[in-house]
Amino acid sequence: MAGIGCQGVPAGNAQALGMVTAGLDPGAQILDCACGIGLLAVGLAEAGFRVTACDASLAMVERTQALAHAHGVQVTTRVCRWDQLPDQGWQDRFDAALCVGNSLAHAVGRSGRRAALDGMASVLAVGGMLALTSRNWEQIRSAGSRLHVWDRLVERAAGKAVVVYSWQVPPSWDDEHRLQISVAALQDGDRLQVTTEGLSIWPFHHEELLADVVAAGLDLAGSTYDATQPEYLVTAQRHAGAARAGTRPQPGVTIAGWPTG
């Protein structure tokens, strides 16, 4: 997972993702189901895996295609949402499915999140691993609405830039949260070019996410959650005979030591 595949992935999570892929045979099939601009997908293809990348955004898929072409690797791409994964003809195909970059919180509410996880579970082969990363939403909510200016310059295609996050955190966990990201790139010495994007977010408790993963018919393998850390990674595996997506356990039941909620 060294090199391009780790860009944008926090060091601890990159190490954990490396452990997931280290257990895969050469040529294993991996789905990156929130591919964004393709950094992770292309990095995995360069490592010798057969990679499929999908995203709900056509623009992101096109950027992934362009990046794969620039690096001379083959990445199969498709535009689709997580809840559309069961309709792609990929049932039981992938040795691993990755959903990184805090993407899952863009699913609308718990019903949307569970539909997304059902879709991811449906494309895993027996023994296949799901790995997903998340922000520590308990930390985000405890800090409340605020303006956060990064304390360092970052490198962007346009040059060095300042990144500003504007968080809108409502009183209830169940309400839509908003994040506005502004990137001010330095150009021609002292001129700034500002690009802004607004995101809708539906956060979740760590325990709630674990219950949702189990409800998708997967066995939890691990979590790097630490209340003091800003992000974490959850892994889960499909075993032979495991309940398939859409066949949910009853509320309050405990599976493999984890409450299903």
Side-chain angles (χ1 to χ4, degrees):
M1 292 290 293
I4 190 172
C6 283
Q7 291 186 24
V9 180
N13 289 344
Q15 182 179 15
L17 284 172
M19 293 174 63
V20 170
T21 57
L24 298 178
D25 294 330
Q29 295 207 63
I30 299 179
L31 173 67
D32 181 357
C33 60
C35 64
I37 63 174
L39 294 175
L40 180 60
V42 170
L44 291 167
E46 289 182 320
F49 297 109
R50 290 182 289 167
V51 181
T52 300
C54 63
D55 199 286
S57 166
L58 173 60
M60 293 295 99
V61 170
E62 289 177 340
R63 290 189 66 177
T64 297
Q65 292 172 335
L67 188 64
H69 179 75
H71 284 259
V73 295
Q74 176 66 42
V75 175
T76 300
T77 57
R78 192 168 300 179
V79 179
C80 74
R81 302 188 308 269
W82 295 304
D83 62 339
Q84 296 173 325
L85 288 171
D87 304 322
Q88 305 304 311
W90 296 336
Q91 198 80 11
D92 308 327
R93 174 179 297 187
F94 295 101
D95 301 296
L98 309 179
C99 179
V100 303
N102 305 299
S103 302
L104 188 58
H106 300 309
V108 181
R110 191 165 201 183
S111 61
R113 185 166 64 252
R114 287 201 166 190
L117 290 167
D118 280 351
M120 297 176 207
S122 74
V123 300
L124 285 175
V126 172
M129 184 74 74
L130 171 66
L132 60 90
T133 63
S134 174
R135 292 184 187 275
N136 183 332
W137 295 111
E138 289 86 348
Q139 280 191 357
I140 297 294
R141 283 191 49 80
S142 66
S145 297
R146 65 198 183 281
L147 194 68
H148 174 214
V149 181
W150 287 24
D151 59 2
R152 66 188 185 282
L153 292 175
V154 297
E155 293 287 343
R156 290 291 186 268
K160 293 185 177 180
V162 175
V163 179
V164 179
Y165 281 5
S166 176
W167 288 98
Q168 298 176 31
V169 179
S172 172
W173 276 83
D174 295 330
D175 292 338
E176 178 185 2
H177 294 49
R178 295 285 298 171
L179 171 61
Q180 181 174 288
I181 303 174
S182 296
V183 178
L186 288 169
Q187 293 187 335
D188 299 331
D190 58 357
R191 189 170 63 88
L192 291 177
Q193 179 178 342
V194 181
T195 303
T196 299
E197 180 180 9
L199 302 174
S200 295
I201 294 168
W202 284 265
F204 42 81
H205 295 276
H206 170 242
E207 294 83 359
E208 191 175 31
L209 175 59
L210 299 183
D212 292 340
V213 169
V214 170
L218 301 174
D219 291 343
L220 286 165
S223 171
T224 64
Y225 178 79
D226 180 334
T228 67
Q229 298 302 310
E231 302 196 2
Y232 61 96
L233 178 139
V234 171
T235 54
Q237 191 169 29
R238 180 192 169 191
H239 291 297
R244 299 302 294 131
T247 309
R248 299 196 184 284
Q250 294 298 312
V253 175
T254 299
I255 294 180
W258 298 93
T260 63

